[in-house]
Amino acid sequence: MEHLKTGEVISKRRRELGLTQGQLAKSLNISFQAVSKWENGVSHS
């Protein structure tokens, strides 16, 4: 089984859904910078 980091999972699924970081962030009511940090492993909160 392939093991992915949390950020990789978020990024992969976001792309599968055809969403930009900004679109995902808006739907979660957070900043796109937060999404970017999650995907790059900078932040987990």
Side-chain angles (χ1 to χ4, degrees), residues 28-39:
L28 296 173
N29 199 32
I30 59 172
S31 70
F32 77 88
Q33 292 95 334
V35 174
S36 178
K37 287 179 181 181
W38 291 345
E39 291 186 1

Side-chain angles (χ1 to χ4, degrees), residues 8-22:
E8 292 171 332
V9 172
I10 294 168
S11 178
K12 182 175 185 282
R13 186 64 180 140
R14 175 180 62 77
R15 289 191 313 268
E16 287 172 351
L17 293 170
L19 298 172
T20 65
Q21 287 181 346

